[in-house]
Amino acid sequence: MKAYVRRLRRLSAKVTQRGRRVLNVLQKPNEVDLLMARLPKVGNATQLSEMVVVITGSSKGIGRVIALAFAAKGARIVVNGRDQSSLDRVLQEISAQGGRAVGVCADVGTEGGAHAVLDAAVQAFGQVDVLINNAGVPGPWGVKGWEAGIDEFEKTIRANLVGPFACAKYAIDWMVRNGHPGRVVNVSSIATEGNHAGILAYGTSKAALEALTRYLAIDLGNSGITVVTISPHSVATEAKAARRWDEAELLPPAECLIPAFEHVALAPAHMVHGRIISTQRFLENAYAESVLASPISSARRIAYEPMRHRGKVVDRDPTAFTLMDRAENRYGPSPKAKAALAQALTPAALTYYPDQDYTKLKRALAAEHGLAEESFVIGNGSWELIARLVQEFVKPGEEVVSNNPGWFGFNLLCNRRNVALKRVPFRLVPGNELPHHNLEGILNAIGPRTRFIYLISPSNPEGIALKHEEFASFLAKVPQDLPVIVDEAYAEYADEPDMLNTPALVAATDRTLVGLRTFSKFYGLAGMRIGYAFAKPAFAEMLQRHGQIFNVSGLSEEAAVASLTDMDHRAAVHGQATQERQRLFGALADLGLRHVPSQTPYVLVERIAPLPKLIERFEDAGIYIPNFEFYDGEFIMLPIGTTAENDRNLGILKSFLS
């Protein structure tokens, strides 16, 4: 009966949450309105006055919006399109707002059309200051690349690449002959940064257009003529509305692009010459997009939110609060590690650089795992090593395969790199069958653009370890040179008898297997920032190439070696952690709470109340647990600590049940 009531309460809670989301959508300001309200101001936009701006493909869509905006700021505009009636409407709109413009009905994808547009600018206004190559076509849409006709492909390349080249050629030629500094703006697309199927001709043409910008910039050098690419994000246009009106309605209007176009037309050459400026990143942070190498300007510092206690920001002080939200060791570091640090804390240790090869630690790790010293790579925690793997082995737009939901840190690193993360659902099977990593699904997800596989054992957040024979069989089916990364941050906590022995498999397999471990968790050295990777020496050498010299301190190395060789402390921590884990599982079962049989210092437990209420109750007791829920809100992550800590946590859960 209790279980039935609990299910009813959970169903009611889910319905309530979904209703609140709908109300939030109705009550909150529209995101498009918020975007338009915070458009960046381009301080020198008044410089457009009296400039002659040629905009191809400006009878409709984005080109029309930019033509109207530039004309309103005093620029003299050459409008272009292939439909005379649309062209006439834009000319009337510009005239109605007091602007000056001429129109040229021509296909700029042809040499004659490109000539005609540039000649019209010189004849009407005597010069060309800015050419905006906006004309383009979508090409064959929604079809496999090889299914498109060659004539369709050629038309797309001619419109999106040959046309801009022809216009740029004639504009630059006029500027060079007349000693007139000017600017060419090529309009690309956000499609060149993403992973989009069915747009081969369009994506290829826009990627080539970006290359055209770079090479023109090299040839132009310090001529005073600037060339830049602007990459607009999706906005509502007539063409999009004709294709999918519902999608177009959710997009912001093309007017949001105006500040970015003003920027590329007017910014100092050193900020834009030869570069690709993303309108989306420009709207997020105009200054960052101007000075940072794309696409890093959209990156955010990876950091936890400030710690709050009862609504106020407080220091994350382990002497004032019970901090269990980041799975740090509850038993502290090895006494030998503390003694080694005290002994190593000499003037020489502080004054001189550490051993760049970390020989002492590699020697200890080789003895621990039975691998050659050359198999190990030392990093500033496993965070740094994982970031290095993503950066070294995966280009933006390529794929990695992992489990879902997976560790948030890895997901963030892939997102920052613009890597496609193909996540295979972890099998959290109800009933008697144990949860598992769904290795068959991982194999099926591997594709020609997959650059490596990333697994966690024991997994995060489920705490399930990979089994040795099952994984060895899986590994044998993985393509020969496809790296398989196994992140074993919590491996030392596990007591699974048939758990994957990664070092042994690294030595035995002909596949590319990489293990990752850290001294932050089991060894209690999170503050020292030290971890390591291990693989065949050839792979380890590649991973070394991108590492920074002296990326780990000599003091951290001393603490790591002492921790690794303190077998008594390791046995004590493992024994206490294992014992408490089993005791907690029994207590949760007695309370009737579903939980996952974890091998880590945390466990997924049935969420018995709304997460904010649970977090608030723990915080009131000065206890901080992970503020996450998993598997559609079914579970929370409950840390496993000392006996006293576990009893306190169980008491809080009991208070909700009663």
Side-chain angles (χ1 to χ4, degrees):
M1 185 65 181
K2 275 187 178 180
Y4 178 73
V5 170
R6 192 178 299 130
R7 281 197 291 272
L8 276 178
R9 288 169 60 189
R10 288 181 60 76
L11 176 62
S12 175
K14 285 185 176 181
V15 170
T16 301
Q17 286 179 350
R18 282 166 173 76
R20 285 174 180 158
R21 290 188 194 122
V22 173
L23 285 175
N24 283 339
V25 171
L26 294 173
Q27 293 171 356
K28 287 183 178 178
N30 186 284
E31 64 269 20
V32 172
D33 295 334
L34 292 173
L35 170 68
M36 299 304 292
R38 59 176 174 79
L39 291 181
K41 300 291 188 292
V42 178
N44 58 358
T46 54
Q47 293 178 9
L48 285 167
S49 181
E50 298 303 316
M51 291 181 71
V52 177
V53 182
V54 178
I55 309 174
T56 68
S58 47
S59 61
K60 298 176 182 177
I62 292 172
R64 169 187 163 276
V65 167
I66 302 307
L68 290 169
F70 279 28
K73 290 183 168 63
R76 294 170 288 176
I77 308 295
V78 176
V79 183
N80 158 251
R82 291 184 293 177
D83 176 62
Q84 188 64 53
S85 60
S86 298
L87 207 59
D88 291 340
R89 279 195 296 271
V90 179
L91 291 171
Q92 289 170 7
E93 288 177 291
I94 292 174
S95 177
Q97 65 183 22
R100 291 166 293 173
V102 296
V104 181
C105 187
D107 179 1
V108 293
T110 66
E111 187 172 3
H115 246 312
V117 171
L118 273 300
D119 285 347
V122 175
Q123 291 172 10
F125 302 118
Q127 63 192 55
V128 178
D129 296 302
V130 179
L131 164 66
I132 299 178
N133 277 317
N134 174 71
V137 298
W141 199 267
V143 298
K144 303 294 185 184
W146 63 92
E147 294 174 352
I150 292 176
D151 58 335
E152 292 178 298
F153 184 84
E154 286 182 336
K155 286 178 184 176
T156 308
I157 296 297
R158 176 160 291 281
N160 296 353
L161 179 63
V162 177
F165 166 71
C167 291
K169 170 183 170 62
Y170 296 131
I172 293 170
D173 181 64
W174 183 89
M175 294 170 189
V176 169
R177 282 189 288 105
N178 291 275
H180 187 83
R183 186 156 298 192
V184 174
V185 177
N186 291 321
V187 180
S188 181
S189 167
I190 196 173
T192 62
E193 293 185 17
N195 305 287
H196 308 285
I199 58 168
L200 181 140
Y202 180 78
T204 301
S205 66
K206 292 300 185 180
L209 185 63
E210 294 175 3
L212 176 71
T213 296
R214 289 196 298 273
Y215 286 106
L216 273 177
I218 293 167
D219 287 346
L220 286 166
N222 296 321
S223 65
I225 301 169
T226 302
V227 60
V228 56
T229 292
I230 186 168
S231 177
H233 59 285
S234 292
V235 293
T237 62
E238 301 97 316
K240 282 193 177 69
R243 198 162 54 238
R244 281 293 302 271
W245 72 269
D246 53 332
E247 289 182 359
E249 280 298 318
L250 297 175
L251 294 172
E255 283 75 10
C256 73
L257 304 177
I258 293 170
F261 272 89
E262 291 175 347
H263 175 73
V264 294
L266 299 169
H270 69 267
M271 298 180 77
V272 296
H273 191 41
R275 297 190 64 179
I276 302 167
I277 302 297
S278 158
T279 60
Q280 187 166 7
R281 293 192 291 270
F282 186 84
L283 292 179
E284 291 173 4
N285 190 324
Y287 178 69
E289 179 63 7
S290 301
V291 300
L292 292 173
S294 299
I296 200 172
S297 64
S298 64
R300 296 289 181 267
R301 177 186 173 221
I302 294 178
Y304 289 95
E305 291 293 323
M307 180 170 162
R308 295 178 182 273
H309 187 67
R310 292 174 178 166
K312 293 182 179 179
V313 174
V314 295
D315 292 336
R316 193 171 187 272
D317 183 359
T319 65
F321 304 101
T322 303
L323 303 177
M324 306 184 75
D325 53 334
R326 299 183 193 171
E328 288 113 334
N329 188 307
R330 309 310 304 162
Y331 303 98
S334 157
K336 288 186 178 180
K338 291 186 281 187
L341 281 172
Q343 186 175 355
L345 201 59
T346 63
L350 298 177
T351 303
Y352 294 96
Y353 291 107
D355 169 14
Q356 65 180 11
D357 295 318
Y358 305 104
T359 308
K360 190 184 294 187
L361 178 55
K362 287 183 179 179
R363 190 177 299 135
L365 290 170
E368 169 81 8
H369 295 304
L371 296 170
E373 292 179 30
E374 295 78 17
S375 295
F376 296 93
V377 181
I378 309 303
N380 193 254
S382 51
W383 262 102
E384 189 242 344
L385 291 165
I386 295 169
R388 210 189 295 181
L389 283 161
V390 173
Q391 187 168 358
E392 285 190 28
F393 291 93
V394 197
K395 293 178 181 177
E398 294 179 338
E399 293 177 350
V400 296
V401 175
S402 183
N403 276 134
N404 188 38
W407 177 49
F408 79 95
F410 179 72
N411 301 341
L412 284 173
L413 289 168
C414 290
N415 183 60
R416 167 178 282 192
R417 180 71 170 157
N418 197 21
V419 167
L421 184 53
K422 191 182 285 186
R423 293 194 285 176
V424 176
F426 197 92
R427 290 283 173 82
L428 208 64
V429 186
N432 296 325
E433 188 179 349
L434 290 175
H436 59 86
H437 289 251
N438 192 5
L439 295 180
E440 182 181 352
I442 296 287
L443 285 172
N444 291 335
I446 297 170
R449 291 165 57 243
T450 303
R451 293 298 172 257
F452 68 72
I453 297 166
Y454 174 80
L455 301 173
I456 307 173
S457 178
S459 58
N460 187 343
E462 303 85 5
I464 303 301
L466 288 162
K467 298 184 183 300
H468 190 89
E469 293 303 325
E470 181 185 14
F471 182 83
S473 176
F474 155 81
L475 189 63
K477 299 172 186 174
V478 171
Q480 184 84 31
D481 296 315
L482 182 66
V484 179
I485 319 298
V486 181
D487 187 344
E488 300 183 301
Y490 300 100
E492 292 88 353
Y493 281 103
D495 62 348
E496 183 82 42
D498 56 349
M499 179 177 163
L500 169 63
N501 184 338
T502 312
L505 199 51
V506 165
T509 186
D510 61 351
R511 296 303 197 264
T512 305
L513 176 61
V514 185
L516 289 171
R517 298 221 181 166
T518 179
F519 286 92
S520 297
K521 304 298 184 182
F522 180 81
Y523 294 102
L525 296 178
M528 303 302 294
R529 305 310 305 127
I530 185 164
Y532 61 97
F534 54 95
K536 290 280 199 303
F539 189 94
E541 187 275 328
M542 287 193 292
L543 191 54
Q544 292 275 34
R545 296 181 189 182
H546 195 70
Q548 300 299 318
I549 191 171
F550 310 130
N551 60 329
V552 174
S553 77
L555 294 175
S556 296
E557 181 183 20
E558 293 289 347
V561 171
S563 299
L564 198 65
T565 54
D566 189 349
M567 306 308 291
D568 290 339
H569 184 71
R570 289 173 60 176
V573 171
H574 185 271
Q576 292 175 72
T578 302
Q579 182 177 324
E580 273 305 302
R581 187 164 61 221
Q582 294 304 320
R583 189 180 75 87
L584 184 67
F585 291 172
L588 292 171
D590 290 343
L591 292 174
L593 294 180
R594 291 179 296 131
H595 59 280
V596 178
S598 172
Q599 290 283 305
T600 61
Y602 52 79
V603 57
L604 289 187
V605 177
E606 177 184 354
R607 180 176 63 78
I608 54 176
L611 184 62
K613 291 289 185 185
L614 283 163
I615 296 298
E616 181 182 17
R617 190 76 61 88
F618 275 95
E619 284 186 12
D620 285 343
I623 302 169
Y624 282 79
I625 66 171
N627 192 0
F628 302 111
E629 53 188 2
F630 301 92
Y631 290 94
D632 295 325
E634 291 287 319
F635 296 96
I636 63 166
M637 182 183 278
L638 183 69
I640 304 172
T642 63
T643 301
E645 289 169 341
N646 292 335
D647 286 343
R648 288 176 68 192
N649 293 347
L650 285 167
I652 292 171
L653 293 180
K654 286 179 183 176
S655 70
F656 281 95
L657 292 174
S658 62

